[in-house]
Amino acid sequence: VMNGTGTLNCSSGFKYEGQFLNNKFHYRGILTSPTQTYEGLFEDGYRHGKGTLRYSDGRVYTGDWFKDRRQGQGTYDCLKTDGTIYVGKWLEDRKHFEGIMTYPNASVYNGHWLNDLRHGRGIFTYKGGSFEKYDGLRQFNKP
């Protein structure tokens, strides 16, 4: 039984450095794979609590986790890939509830989300300063 601090190397390219409890990742640790690195808290083998996930393509998520899913408050920085940044709430790995998305052209959406889509009340401000306000009219990214 693995308990305490240690390192686990897998032939698949995964590596875990941190604390174990009953053979599971627990408390603080770093989990590395060929495509991503997570540094933060674990519970019962899951990413759980506060942590940062860095993808090899440059995307970064920093925030709350619940059983390996983004859940709670978090920031998803995709400036190096599609040029967006999202700061807001997450539910089961999806943008959900209230959040702010900044787009590469400097336009900003500040409002409600449902399952990764703009939905419900919100304000979309364009780069030049003009804006559209949605008050319950927007459904799934459409006015």
Side-chain angles (χ1 to χ4, degrees):
V1 175
M2 293 173 41
N3 285 310
T5 302
T7 301
L8 176 66
N9 290 299
C10 299
S11 60
S12 60
F14 284 84
K15 178 181 180 181
Y16 176 77
E17 297 176 84
Q19 295 174 298
F20 294 87
L21 181 64
N22 298 323
N23 287 335
K24 295 180 181 178
F25 310 152
H26 195 79
Y27 196 53
R28 293 193 184 278
I30 301 170
L31 179 62
T32 305
S33 79
T35 60
Q36 57 188 307
T37 299
Y38 172 81
E39 184 170 355
L41 297 177
F42 291 85
E43 184 177 299
D44 203 29
Y46 296 106
R47 294 173 290 191
H48 193 87
K50 301 281 185 196
T52 298
L53 180 63
R54 297 181 192 308
Y55 297 88
S56 58
D57 65 4
R59 293 174 293 144
V60 178
Y61 172 80
T62 301
D64 298 328
W65 292 85
F66 181 81
K67 292 190 175 182
D68 269 347
R69 294 181 179 214
R70 293 171 287 191
Q71 189 152 313
Q73 183 69 30
T75 299
Y76 192 40
D77 179 341
C78 298
L79 288 175
K80 294 181 179 177
T81 55
D82 68 10
T84 62
I85 275 191
Y86 173 80
V87 178
K89 301 286 185 183
W90 294 82
L91 180 67
E92 296 183 354
D93 248 1
R94 296 178 183 189
K95 294 180 247 357
H96 205 82
F97 307 117
E98 296 178 358
I100 301 169
M101 176 75 86
T102 303
Y103 296 90
N105 65 359
S107 296
V108 176
Y109 174 74
N110 184 346
H112 292 201
W113 295 79
L114 179 68
N115 292 322
D116 265 347
L117 300 172
R118 297 184 306 263
H119 184 80
R121 294 182 177 158
I123 297 175
F124 196 99
T125 306
Y126 296 95
K127 181 180 179 181
S130 63
F131 64 92
E132 294 178 46
K133 182 176 182 180
Y134 296 93
D135 188 10
L137 301 176
R138 181 176 290 281
Q139 289 189 331
F140 304 111
N141 279 350
K142 298 178 184 176

